[in-house]
Amino acid sequence: MNRFLLSLRAFWDVLTDRELAERVALALEPPKASGPDLRILALLQRDGRLIDFLQEDLEGFPDEQIGAAVRDIHRGCRKALAEYLEIQPVLAREEGEKVSVEAEFDPAAIRLLGNVSGTGPYQGTLKHHGWRVTAAKLPNIPATRDESTVLALAEIELS
């Protein structure tokens, strides 16, 4: 089918099929990256300077200096998480415990590792209990004039 005929068919399909029109609109203009994830990142920057740390080239710094910096970053980021999010383990079990996973498990919450075959229930050893957010009380990020998301304000000291 040549491109002209294809475009006419696509035009007609989008015009007559609302669901297809919504999917095409989403493909042409995906939603902007914003929302809770970026607000969390902004809080981790504000309270723990996490982005500053991750953007820094650490090659020239001795391990002792990096370790001292990480202590402050950890303290600030931990405070921000505790203040704005309620975080619970996905599985309230100790790492290393034997666990059973039902066949109808939620793959968005549990990842099976190793030799995965057949149908559940699956038996295994808990390697990491996972984390889930059970409640969030995040502040809004102010809108910028260019509609970008600012994670940390540029700071200018006037003389």
Side-chain angles (χ1 to χ4, degrees):
M1 185 179 295
N2 72 38
R3 289 177 36 199
F4 179 73
L5 292 177
L6 180 62
S7 67
L8 290 177
R9 181 174 173 193
F11 170 77
W12 182 254
D13 288 348
V14 167
L15 188 63
T16 58
D17 185 340
R18 176 179 295 216
E19 184 179 324
L20 177 63
E22 290 172 358
R23 290 195 329 244
V24 169
L26 198 60
L28 293 175
E29 292 185 36
K32 294 186 182 235
S34 64
D37 294 342
L38 296 178
R39 288 185 291 170
I40 292 168
L41 194 54
L43 291 169
L44 295 177
Q45 167 61 21
R46 186 192 70 192
D47 293 352
R49 296 287 193 183
L50 180 63
I51 298 171
D52 292 345
F53 176 73
L54 296 175
Q55 293 288 80
E56 189 73 38
D57 180 8
L58 301 178
E59 289 302 318
F61 294 97
D63 289 348
E64 296 79 24
Q65 192 172 355
I66 294 170
V70 167
R71 186 174 304 281
D72 289 337
I73 294 165
H74 177 267
R75 185 179 306 115
C77 291
R78 183 180 171 101
K79 174 184 163 283
L81 289 179
E83 187 172 342
Y84 296 102
L85 301 175
E86 287 183 27
I87 300 175
Q88 302 290 325
V90 172
L91 297 176
R93 308 279 297 269
E94 294 294 321
E95 293 176 5
E97 274 189 45
K98 296 292 182 196
V99 294
S100 179
V101 178
E102 298 300 320
E104 300 83 27
F105 73 97
D106 181 357
I110 297 173
R111 178 175 40 187
L112 299 178
L113 305 172
N115 185 16
V116 181
S117 62
T119 59
Y122 302 96
Q123 305 296 320
T125 304
L126 182 62
K127 293 295 187 185
H128 188 272
H129 52 65
W131 296 111
R132 76 173 67 231
V133 174
T134 57
K137 46 189 177 223
L138 301 172
N140 289 327
I141 296 176
T144 58
R145 292 181 180 169
D146 65 0
E147 299 183 18
S148 65
T149 301
V150 174
L151 298 175
L153 300 176
E155 297 173 336
I156 301 168
E157 183 172 314
L158 302 178
S159 54

